[in-house]
Amino acid sequence: MRVTTLNCGFHGDIRGGLKAVEAALLQVPEAVTEPHMFRLEAHVSGDLSVADALQWSMHTPADSRAFWADRSDEVVVAGIGEAWTLGGLGWTVGDGLESLQRLMAPAPKRLRAFGGLCFHRELRSSGAWKAFGAWRFAVPRVELGRDSGGVWLAAHVQGSPKDWTRRLAEAQAVITRLLLVEPGDHHGASTRPEVNYQSIKDVPNVDGWREAVRAALAKIESTSLQKVVLARQRRVDLATAPDPLALLARLAAHEPDAFRFCLQPTAESAFVGASPERLIRVQGQHVTSEALAGTRPRSSDLAQDNAWAAELLASEKDRREHRLVADMVAETLTELCENVEPHGEPTVMALANVQHLHSRIEAQTNGVPSIASLLLALHPTPAVGGTPRAAARSAIETLEGFQRGLYAAPVGWIGGAGTAEFTVAIRSALVERDAISLFSGAGIVAGSDPDAEWSEIDGKIAALWLAFGLGRGER
């Protein structure tokens, strides 16, 4: 696929950028002789916060949307509509990601396809996850973004010779519709969604959970399985339809140091989350991954906060769990890269609400790194799957009783100029038209107590519940 970028110049505000893109659409040819994507980009003055980007997207009419903000707010992108999608059945994921990386390689760095691949690499996704496919990526029709180079507004037109006229007309219609939104319509709107729930269902329920954990413990005692991360789903049926981005805005305010994301392929389904964990970052021949395992809370009292950090660093149990993940990541990168730097001793990564043991693992490749190979080799890490990997995955599929979909799976983007970034999609939820499903898990090892693990997950789900503004939910 050929990619052409049209620079629309510098404009004072978002509306001016839209008008510049509308004018630039007249420069796009009325026909093409090969598959082609045009990116029309206007520079916009001022700054763009995560909250501003979410507000703009929330109040821009669209059935499909995407949102990404990395942990340091270095890259923030709000996308509406879809100009181009790529996805397929589970057995196509390796070749499909290789093809996507190849197609994106000559594109400018800011051009990104956002998406993810399901946890289990199912043949196909079903039920509530059907719209996401076994793997799926999309380039937004229109996006508002910010990086170190400033703020931009861009539109994309993609098509082949046979459908080019229709695709160009679709892009023109979207820009026209956006210009009908009154300036300032998105400013000052509440990020507090009015969400009233009708019923709650835990999958599995407490008895099913106890049975699953006991079965996992039996496997740990009698097989090579050492650890398995079992998850729970809490489905909340709603009285009113929620806005996924309004929910994400609430969550982002609680988790400002996380990777914040939304994938919404249709009006009926969206996946949102705020995860602290990077799976992989690729910048040319430089590859970065990390281990994030071992946790303590934060405190507004500096002495207590420092005490918890010191306790975390001194905990042999937490350091052992962390070393397991760090060693696995380093060994995997060693198989795929030519030069892997030793990760050394872990440090404490202090986030807004918790602090973790953290190790950064850096690597270099002599050639172009395969993003598909990196993702498929690193996922799932012991932190979300278990060890050994094959035995843990088999136990999860047998014991959990629900489809994980994108929960705890790689979610992120593949971009131009040999760039990509993916998070591990924990602290996340599936948002449907009339329900929200919250997910969390716990690592089961020899000696684990089913009721204690149930309570631990209850605490994690309660934090998501409150962040989403669902109330205290007396049950």
Side-chain angles (χ1 to χ4, degrees):
M1 179 177 66
R2 185 179 173 191
V3 179
T4 300
T5 299
L6 297 180
N7 191 327
C8 305
F10 184 85
H11 300 273
D13 57 15
I14 295 172
R15 190 170 184 81
L18 283 169
K19 289 181 177 179
V21 168
E22 181 185 43
L25 279 169
L26 299 176
Q27 301 176 39
V28 176
E30 296 181 357
V32 293
T33 58
E34 60 181 331
H36 205 131
M37 179 181 293
F38 277 83
R39 175 180 172 88
L40 299 83
E41 181 178 316
H43 298 277
V44 178
S45 63
D47 197 9
L48 181 72
S49 68
V50 169
D52 289 340
L54 282 166
Q55 291 283 5
W56 175 81
S57 188
M58 278 194 306
H59 294 83
T60 301
D63 288 337
S64 54
R65 295 179 288 189
F67 185 86
W68 174 269
D70 62 23
R71 208 163 48 196
S72 60
D73 290 351
E74 181 181 339
V75 174
V76 178
V77 180
I80 61 167
E82 295 179 340
W84 182 56
T85 62
L86 191 64
L89 301 177
W91 63 269
T92 69
V93 63
D95 290 342
L97 290 174
E98 294 283 7
S99 176
L100 177 58
Q101 181 180 0
R102 197 164 49 248
L103 290 167
M104 297 294 286
K109 190 175 180 179
R110 283 177 171 172
L111 179 55
R112 297 175 174 91
F114 298 91
L117 44 148
C118 287
F119 187 93
H120 288 300
R121 276 183 256 166
E122 299 94 335
L123 176 63
R124 57 172 56 85
S125 294
S126 58
W129 293 106
K130 184 176 181 180
F132 297 90
W135 65 279
R136 185 181 191 275
F137 287 79
V139 173
R141 172 71 71 193
V142 179
E143 65 184 33
L144 179 65
R146 175 180 60 74
D147 59 16
S148 58
V151 181
W152 75 87
L153 185 138
H156 300 104
V157 184
Q158 191 280 333
S160 63
K162 64 180 181 181
D163 65 1
W164 187 255
T165 300
R166 175 175 60 85
R167 295 297 187 95
L168 183 57
E170 289 173 353
Q172 291 167 333
V174 168
I175 298 299
T176 299
R177 189 166 71 245
L178 293 181
L179 284 168
L180 293 176
V181 177
E182 288 299 319
D185 274 1
H186 61 281
H187 292 299
S190 174
T191 60
R192 292 182 172 268
E194 294 294 329
V195 179
N196 299 310
Y197 68 92
Q198 294 180 314
S199 63
I200 300 169
K201 180 181 179 181
D202 284 315
V203 181
N205 62 22
V206 66
D207 291 332
W209 173 258
R210 289 169 178 154
E211 183 179 339
V213 173
R214 291 184 188 120
L217 291 171
K219 288 178 180 290
I220 290 170
E221 184 177 355
S222 61
T223 71
S224 64
L225 183 64
Q226 300 171 36
K227 171 187 174 181
V228 59
V229 180
L230 294 181
R232 287 171 42 199
Q233 174 187 20
R234 177 166 295 169
R235 181 181 171 88
V236 185
D237 291 321
L238 303 174
T240 55
D243 182 340
L245 288 179
L247 293 169
L248 179 58
R250 288 292 306 275
L251 183 59
H254 279 258
E255 302 285 352
D257 304 315
F259 292 95
R260 291 135 294 174
F261 55 84
C262 172
L263 300 176
Q264 185 178 3
T266 70
E268 288 75 30
S269 298
F271 182 62
V272 302
S275 171
E277 188 171 350
R278 170 184 287 135
L279 181 63
I280 197 75
R281 184 180 190 182
V282 178
Q283 296 174 298
Q285 294 173 283
H286 189 76
V287 177
T288 304
S289 187
E290 63 187 29
L292 207 63
T295 307
R296 291 293 185 278
R298 298 297 308 277
S299 174
S300 58
D301 179 82
L302 182 60
Q304 179 61 68
D305 199 51
N306 290 337
W308 274 329
E311 178 185 290
L312 181 59
L313 281 170
S315 168
E316 183 53 38
K317 176 182 178 295
D318 287 290
R319 291 176 74 91
R320 185 169 57 249
E321 178 186 357
H322 179 85
R323 193 179 308 116
L324 185 70
V325 178
D327 289 347
M328 173 267 180
V329 171
E331 289 167 9
T332 301
L333 292 184
T334 299
E335 295 173 1
L336 298 171
C337 305
E338 283 70 39
N339 181 28
V340 179
E341 298 178 14
H343 52 78
E345 291 297 307
T347 59
V348 173
M349 174 183 282
L351 304 175
N353 301 304
V354 295
Q355 43 195 334
H356 300 286
L357 287 180
H358 172 263
S359 292
R360 181 191 294 264
I361 299 98
E362 308 271 0
Q364 289 285 142
T365 61
N366 290 335
V368 177
S370 166
I371 294 170
S373 296
L374 289 166
L375 289 176
L376 297 180
L378 287 168
H379 170 73
T381 68
V384 295
T387 54
R389 180 185 293 180
R393 291 182 78 148
S394 175
I396 290 169
E397 292 185 38
T398 302
L399 300 175
E400 272 190 353
F402 64 91
Q403 192 176 39
R404 282 197 181 191
L406 290 173
Y407 165 66
V411 166
W413 53 266
I414 295 176
T419 58
E421 184 154 41
F422 285 82
T423 185
V424 180
I426 57 175
R427 301 182 189 173
S428 53
L430 174 66
V431 184
E432 301 172 74
R433 189 173 288 279
D434 58 356
I436 303 174
S437 292
L438 312 177
F439 302 93
S440 190
I444 308 303
V445 297
S448 290
D449 176 70
D451 290 343
E453 302 297 346
W454 176 274
S455 296
E456 178 184 328
I457 293 177
D458 255 3
K460 295 176 182 177
I461 289 177
L464 271 177
W465 179 284
L466 293 174
F468 282 139
L470 294 170
R472 296 195 174 275
E474 298 298 330
R475 303 178 61 211

